[in-house]
Amino acid sequence: MDEEFYSIISSICTQDSRYFPEAYGFVMEALSFSQKRFRKSKHISGEELLTGINTLLLKKFGPMTLPVLKHWGIKTTDDFGNIVYNLVENKVLAKDAHDHYDSFKNAYDFDEVFINGYRKQLARRLKTMRF
């Protein structure tokens, strides 16, 4: 990310202080991750982005995901929608006619995905390990 991006994020955070700048940087990272995962060079849907966010959060932060999200000011998937639409309003991202904020509303429960989902993922990994 370049200086212009961080300048825009600083301006967004001044206008909307709900989220830390790191949350915006992470969403951009998750966008790139999701584009690769879904083999799309440009546009991805809100649902695809949320899937990528989920996967990348668990990959990067594991059991610390919820504290990290809380620190960033993110409590629900709606918050990711707010971040994306703040980026759209500031022309960092673009949306098309199929994009709607509603695709981010209550998409998944954080406790279910980041606690129970992580535990299930960890249990699967442990089963494949040899001791």
Side-chain angles (χ1 to χ4, degrees):
M1 312 265 168
D2 61 6
E3 283 185 45
E4 182 181 3
F5 173 78
Y6 288 109
S7 174
I8 292 168
I9 298 311
S10 178
S11 174
I12 291 171
C13 290
T14 300
Q15 297 167 17
D16 181 354
S17 62
R18 293 177 291 178
Y19 313 110
F20 270 58
E22 292 84 359
Y24 289 91
F26 177 81
V27 167
M28 294 302 293
E29 181 182 357
L31 175 64
S32 177
F33 175 84
S34 300
Q35 287 171 320
K36 290 175 189 161
R37 181 171 185 207
F38 292 103
R39 294 185 175 121
K40 294 186 175 182
S41 61
K42 295 196 181 212
H43 188 80
I44 61 169
S45 70
E47 293 86 358
E48 290 168 328
L49 178 57
L50 284 172
T51 298
I53 285 171
N54 172 356
T55 304
L56 189 58
L57 281 168
L58 287 173
K59 185 176 183 175
K60 287 186 78 159
F61 303 111
M64 293 301 297
T65 297
L66 285 178
V68 168
L69 290 173
K70 183 178 180 182
H71 174 73
W72 288 347
I74 298 172
K75 298 171 194 79
T76 68
T77 57
D78 297 39
D79 293 312
F80 288 119
N82 293 332
I83 289 169
V84 165
Y85 276 84
N86 280 344
L87 292 168
V88 168
E89 286 176 20
N90 286 274
K91 297 181 180 23
V92 174
L93 297 177
K95 69 181 195 102
D96 69 17
H98 302 293
D99 291 329
H100 300 284
Y101 175 79
D102 287 346
S103 57
F104 292 95
K105 291 188 75 63
N106 300 313
Y108 48 79
D109 178 79
F110 279 11
D111 286 343
E112 180 61 35
V113 171
F114 300 123
I115 295 175
N116 298 337
Y118 178 76
R119 288 179 182 156
K120 289 175 189 173
Q121 184 181 35
L122 184 59
R124 281 192 303 271
R125 284 188 193 158
L126 288 173
K127 281 183 181 180
T128 63
M129 294 178 81
R130 296 179 187 215
F131 295 99

